Amino acid sequence: MGKKNQYLVTRYTGVPVENDGNGGYQLKLDASGQAKLHVWRTGKHTRGKYTGIGQLMLTENNLMVMIVAAEPMAFKDRHQEVPLQRFLTTTAPADLVEQGCALLKEEQ
């Protein structure tokens, strides 16, 4: 690391999720009925720890998001993405992770 105020920045691709009413989660659909991928990054004040694909996180607007990809990001590029608020200790069920990863494959 260079300067003392720098921190490790990771770029996360995720899909918003919501409670399904049965104690589980489902993909959150937008007005057109689509689940959309978005990108966030760790910020200086991000709380919690990233544990892996399928983990849930909260954005600064308290939107719950399931992470489907994570990659290192240059510190100098961090302003291109919005920081996330915190990582949750919850992981989405495998079938939901699969749906999210399928969305990612479609976009690539």
Side-chain angles (χ1 to χ4, degrees), residues 1-72:
M1 289 273 159
K3 301 181 183 71
K4 69 175 198 277
N5 289 332
Q6 285 193 8
Y7 51 91
L8 208 55
V9 180
T10 304
R11 180 175 188 256
Y12 297 97
T13 303
V15 61
V17 294
E18 58 190 358
N19 292 325
D20 64 4
N22 295 316
Y25 300 98
Q26 63 192 17
L27 298 182
K28 187 176 179 136
L29 305 179
D30 64 15
S32 62
Q34 300 290 309
K36 290 268 192 321
L37 294 169
H38 298 280
V39 174
W40 289 270
R41 65 168 173 89
T42 39
K44 193 172 192 170
H45 304 291
T46 299
R47 297 194 307 267
K49 204 174 170 72
Y50 172 66
T51 55
I53 300 303
Q55 182 178 5
L56 300 183
M57 66 180 192
L58 277 184
T59 69
E60 293 194 325
N61 300 329
N62 288 320
L63 179 67
M64 202 170 12
V65 174
M66 174 181 67
I67 300 168
V68 293
E71 59 201 347

Side-chain angles (χ1 to χ4, degrees), residues 58-106:
L58 277 184
T59 69
E60 293 194 325
N61 300 329
N62 288 320
L63 179 67
M64 202 170 12
V65 174
M66 174 181 67
I67 300 168
V68 293
E71 59 201 347
M73 183 177 192
F75 186 79
K76 65 177 173 44
D77 296 337
R78 71 191 184 285
H79 296 298
Q80 295 170 10
E81 309 298 353
V82 182
L84 63 103
Q85 183 195 131
R86 68 186 169 110
F87 294 105
L88 302 177
T89 52
T90 313
T91 302
D95 59 331
L96 196 62
V97 175
E98 234 167 76
Q99 287 177 42
C101 290
L103 282 175
L104 185 65
K105 282 198 182 91
E106 282 170 28

